[in-house]
Amino acid sequence: MKKHALYLFVLSIVFTFNIHGQSTAKDPFAYLEKVSDGQAKTSREFLGYISAVSHGKSARKVSQQRSELLTAVTASRARVSHLPDFQGDTSLRWAAYNYFNITYIVLKEDYAKIMDLEEISEQSYDNMEAYITMQKKASEKVKEAFDNCDKEFRAFAAKNNITLRDENTVESKKMEKVGVVTNYYNNTYLPFFKCNKGELYMVNAVSKKDLNAIEQTKVALQGYIEESTAKLNAIEPFEGDASMVNTSKKVLEFYQSEIKDKMPIVTDYIMKSEKFDKLKAAMDKKSASERTKEDIDQYNAAVNDLNAASNNYNKAIGEMNNSRTKLINEWNKVASSFMDKHMPVYNH
Amino acid sequence: MKRPFLVVVVLNALYLFAGKGETFDHHAPILKALLRKTHVSPPKEDSIFYNNIFNDFLYRCDTRKIYFLQSDIDTLKKYKQQFKDEVDGKNHFFFQRFAPLYQMRVMQCDTFVIKTATKPFNFTIKESYSSADSTYCTTRQALETRCQQYMKAKCLRKLLVTLEYDSTATADTLLKKEPLMRAKTFRELSRSFDYLIYDKTTIEFVCGEVLCETIAAQYDPHTNYFTAEDNSHFKELIAGEEKLFGFNIEENEKGIITLNQILPGSPAWKCGELNNGDVLIAAREEKGEWLSFDGENRQSAHELLNSINSDKIEMQVAKADGSRKNVILQREKIKPDDNFVRSWIIQGPSKIGYMQLPGFYTVSENIKGAHCADDVAKELVKLKAENIEGLILDIRNNGGGSMDEAQRLAGIFINEGVLDFVRYNEGKPIADKDPNQGVLFDKPMVVMINGASASASEMLAGTLQDYNRAIIMGSPSFGKATTQIVLPLDSNLNLRSDFRNKVNAQDYVKVTIGKLYRPSGSSNQLCGVQPDIELPDVIKALGYAEAAEKNCLPRDTVKRAVYFSPLTPLPVQELKTRSEARTKTKKEILALDALKTRILARKKETEKAIPLQWEEYILRWKSDRNSYYNAYKNPENSNPLPISNHSFDIEQMKVDQQKEIYNKKALKSIAKDSYIEESVLILSDLIQLQKK
């Protein structure tokens, strides 16, 4: 879900104007048209692709749409790369080429070509965080390339007395909607996702009974919950639909209850196990005749303590697992339903 | 009657050796190939490299210059130009000439020693002996005199060991022991000669071993060659079935017997007073006779130690800072579930946790579950349950260990990010990141270091310093920023394959495979971690530092952008000012400073010569001893720190008497440690300042 949503964000920046004017002897109009035609074709393919992704189309259909989108971008890139200069000026050609090229790289996820992956890796805690950072940086790169292309486009038009008129076509309206929905989705998804990953690390640590990792991941998750809750509270419902915010907040509340109510039970069980092991080791060193009544009483008390802690631990783990499965299923259902409801449908 | 017989046997062996000897087997070519492939920065194999091996080899075969004459060396130098071929095993002319000569000269020395041992030493003659003499004797007579003086110096040293234990001894009573100590010295020297003159195979083996040690030493001070026998000592140690003391011994490059491989959780570890690298001066079984390890080699020291057939051993060791410790150990079986890190509560101006970590251990073959970072985490959970406001982590004398554990430990205190960089053989520096996001303990902390805090412990201190996570106090650390791995001696070895399964290899090599850098990209190599608040320490003055080691690797930095997010800077200057105001008049600190000055002044003098005249020798020893005594004595009139156990340990000690015994000793020692006292005050200041 995430991957597609970020694609949307990357490519929902498109030219939303048409060109009007007369061809001149040297035909700047035709020159400009060649650049904008490629863009229009790419936009259509992109809408088709995103519509397939967002409305539960089959994997085969999604894959086919993606392939067509890549073909359109490749073709546009090739077309502008073969454009001659215009009266010695290559600015627009290179700006357009650069835009299509970066779009292609981003779609292929060949990020190493446009950013320092080592730098990102060092700054990220794990692969998923690195991936999100790469996506963000990719969006910035596409935006930057687009802004430059747009600037050159307008400069070219102005220089050659061509009037550009903003025009709302069906595609441009849908593209605009795609951008808004994606943006909203990302804003609710990322806070949820960060906590979701944080909880996963905590649960892994619990399954290994790794006290060091449990204590650290618990603190990290607490920080994420606080940060994410504040972000979610600031998000208004989308066209009256608060489902994404509400379902994400529900999951976060569950994580908070894990930290507050369940993790002390986990820590208690691990520490009581350690205490028991040490007592047992000390008792084993002594022969039966050396063991005092106090020794035996203390040992028995430790056995009872450990049994009680173990029961509590098992109960807590069971409850955590059940609640988690239920809430994550619910979140997935709400997210699919949100995209289905708000993402425009497009068949070309 | 025994000795003449031995000489006959040896001469016979020599004859056989001289007649044969077309080959000379050693592992040098394999070793060299392996080091070239795996070492982080292998030296260029040019003529300088081979000249150094040649010179160093001769030096190592006769460190005290009591065997060879200058004329021998001149003869041997003729082979210097072709030494590369000798090392590569292509020809053996040098070794064919060297081995019998070496045997012959050791035998000659043996005869000098036999002669010397028959007459009492005259300690009234004004003469001296210098172990650091850089010249060889030119005549047989001069060589004999040097041997006599060497033996005399050893005998004097033995008398002195007695003096250290027997405070009632006087000069007269000691001198009466001269015949006994002379006989002991003779026995020790004879034993060390025996294995060199025994037969052809032994001398070949020794020469091959020394050659390999010499080659390894050219790469850096921490690249070491060792034989299967050395490795088997450690394997025996960790076999886990037997009751043991839990330490091994080695002979360092200066020929001194030191402790190594102190096994986490063993009695040697739990007593809390021993560290790898401590010099073993003497040992005895309970109330038995003291056995001196002075002048012993690795083999004879093992024999001496094995002769102590008791479940209780008393040892005297010299710490890196020159202080002496007497330690009694009781053999024990190591339990897998033991926690090897210990912590206490100190109720100063604030409630503080104090934790000692003597090394960064990790799981070994038979001690399941032993991970120091996990053990530290458990101790921290116990301390947090006591509501501590800050933590002192004491890694003084911590000589390092597992880098993985040091990283995991740093991660306990740092939220996330790069913990260090490692650069392998000519590669790019690779960032090691905190494996766990989040912090287990986020309250103020102080890390205590000294000149014997090395490698992984320096890395931890440096990382916490770069992140502004802890105040580092003490003295500059050792200055070793490299990482090593033990590999079987196999030139086809591939570091990417699972070489640990190559159990058939006879010999092993410890190779420096990586250089370590701090998160900021700088390195602790040579300079060590510079403490934020410095207190005097004599360790560096005693010459214990990476920079003082031969062939140490140079310091460099990560030459690319580094990314890490330090915390808000700590009020270092304010804390420093407050600390200086306290320590500038503190007697114990001033005494250490005085000792440091004295050691530096004495160092040059000691290098010159050791007096062999009784009065002068005793006078000098007494003066030295008083300096150390003044610096390290526990002040009787000072207020001991209010230190106690956390509730977890209190409960455990109710059933574990041995733990209680160790604990009592530790409490006493911590309560009177002026460094810990100062660190408590620094941390209390930090807590107070951060509250504001």
Side-chain angles (χ1 to χ4, degrees), chain B residues 338-522:
Chain B
D338 275 353
N339 184 350
F340 308 142
V341 181
R342 299 185 307 169
S343 66
W344 295 267
I345 308 280
I346 298 174
Q347 186 63 64
S350 307
K351 193 176 188 181
I352 283 168
Y354 169 77
M355 197 183 291
Q356 273 180 353
L357 186 63
F360 293 94
Y361 54 87
T362 185
V363 68
S364 65
E365 288 168 44
N366 291 300
I367 309 170
K368 287 172 194 154
H371 284 288
C372 93
D374 290 347
D375 290 345
V376 167
K378 283 178 188 165
E379 287 303 301
L380 273 172
V381 170
K382 293 170 196 168
L383 289 172
K384 277 167 81 173
E386 305 277 347
N387 296 318
I388 57 162
E389 295 176 76
L391 175 76
I392 296 168
L393 181 63
D394 189 347
I395 50 171
R396 287 176 299 169
N397 301 313
N398 178 327
S402 162
M403 267 304 291
D404 286 347
E405 289 301 308
Q407 285 160 1
R408 293 182 68 228
L409 210 154
I412 286 178
F413 304 108
I414 284 166
N415 185 17
E416 61 174 306
V418 173
L419 298 176
D420 58 66
F421 294 91
V422 188
R423 188 172 73 75
Y424 298 101
N425 196 334
E426 302 308 328
K428 278 166 67 180
I430 300 164
D432 285 316
K433 289 192 291 178
D434 185 353
N436 290 311
Q437 213 165 12
V439 285
L440 197 161
F441 186 78
D442 61 359
K443 292 184 174 168
M445 67 186 285
V446 163
V447 175
M448 299 175 71
I449 58 168
N450 67 2
S453 307
S455 198
S457 58
E458 295 181 86
M459 208 61 242
L460 171 69
T463 302
L464 296 179
Q465 193 176 42
D466 278 355
Y467 273 92
N468 298 323
R469 177 62 190 90
I471 292 289
I472 312 297
M473 72 88 76
S475 52
S477 61
F478 183 80
K480 172 181 177 279
T482 52
T483 177
Q484 284 73 30
I485 190 170
V486 175
L487 299 171
L489 200 61
D490 178 353
S491 57
N492 296 319
L493 188 127
N494 183 353
L495 277 181
R496 288 185 183 86
S497 70
D498 189 6
F499 53 83
R500 287 172 186 85
N501 290 331
K502 287 183 176 277
V503 289
N504 293 329
Q506 288 297 302
D507 298 339
Y508 292 80
V509 62
K510 188 176 78 177
V511 194
T512 297
I513 54 163
K515 286 184 174 184
L516 299 169
Y517 304 90
R518 294 164 58 141
S520 58
S522 68

Side-chain angles (χ1 to χ4, degrees), chain A residues 51-258:
Chain A
S51 180
V53 168
S54 308
H55 297 288
K57 297 289 180 202
S58 69
R60 194 182 56 81
K61 175 74 178 165
V62 171
S63 171
Q64 186 195 336
Q65 292 282 3
R66 177 177 153 79
S67 168
E68 283 169 16
L69 172 60
L70 276 167
T71 309
V73 175
T74 315
S76 300
R77 185 178 63 176
R79 198 159 42 243
V80 293
S81 75
H82 288 102
L83 275 179
D85 60 69
F86 189 80
Q87 296 173 352
D89 183 2
T90 58
S91 313
L92 176 59
R93 185 184 73 187
W94 281 116
Y97 176 82
N98 192 37
Y99 167 65
F100 286 122
N101 193 38
I102 285 183
T103 303
Y104 179 79
I105 288 169
V106 170
L107 281 171
K108 292 285 279 184
E109 296 194 345
D110 201 358
Y111 297 128
K113 287 184 176 160
I114 52 170
M115 60 188 86
D116 184 350
L117 297 188
E118 196 171 56
E119 176 190 338
I120 290 169
S121 169
E122 262 172 39
Q123 293 179 80
S124 311
Y125 168 59
D126 60 10
N127 290 341
M128 193 49 81
E129 193 183 335
Y131 183 74
I132 291 173
T133 311
M134 284 190 287
Q135 297 266 12
K136 279 183 186 163
K137 280 196 186 283
S139 297
E140 285 163 20
K141 292 274 178 190
V142 175
K143 174 81 168 57
E144 195 183 305
F146 169 77
D147 286 347
N148 188 41
C149 188
D150 183 54
K151 191 185 92 191
E152 293 295 341
F153 198 89
R154 288 174 192 276
F156 183 91
K159 196 175 166 188
N160 294 286
N161 299 320
I162 298 170
T163 311
L164 297 175
R165 197 174 67 204
D166 287 341
E167 192 174 273
N168 286 335
T169 61
V170 174
E171 281 83 10
S172 69
K173 279 182 192 160
K174 283 184 188 283
M175 285 298 276
E176 204 172 336
K177 181 75 187 283
V178 164
V180 175
V181 174
T182 308
N183 208 20
Y184 185 85
Y185 175 86
N186 281 345
N187 287 343
T188 55
Y189 177 83
L190 286 173
F192 156 77
F193 173 73
K194 204 165 184 182
C195 296
N196 180 259
K197 282 293 287 183
E199 197 246 8
L200 181 69
Y201 287 121
M202 188 176 80
V203 170
N204 282 343
V206 170
S207 71
K208 290 179 196 158
K209 296 196 175 67
D210 179 346
L211 188 68
N212 180 4
I214 291 171
E215 291 296 310
Q216 289 190 62
T217 51
K218 190 175 80 180
V219 173
L221 178 58
Q222 181 63 47
Y224 299 152
I225 292 172
E226 284 162 18
E227 179 193 328
S228 298
T229 305
K231 280 184 182 165
L232 288 173
N233 282 340
I235 298 173
E236 295 291 323
F238 186 82
E239 296 173 359
D241 181 355
S243 62
M244 280 299 288
V245 171
N246 289 341
T247 189
S248 298
K249 276 164 85 172
K250 227 166 141 183
V251 177
L252 265 54
E253 280 160 17
F254 163 68
Y255 293 156
Q256 183 64 73
S257 74
E258 280 188 313

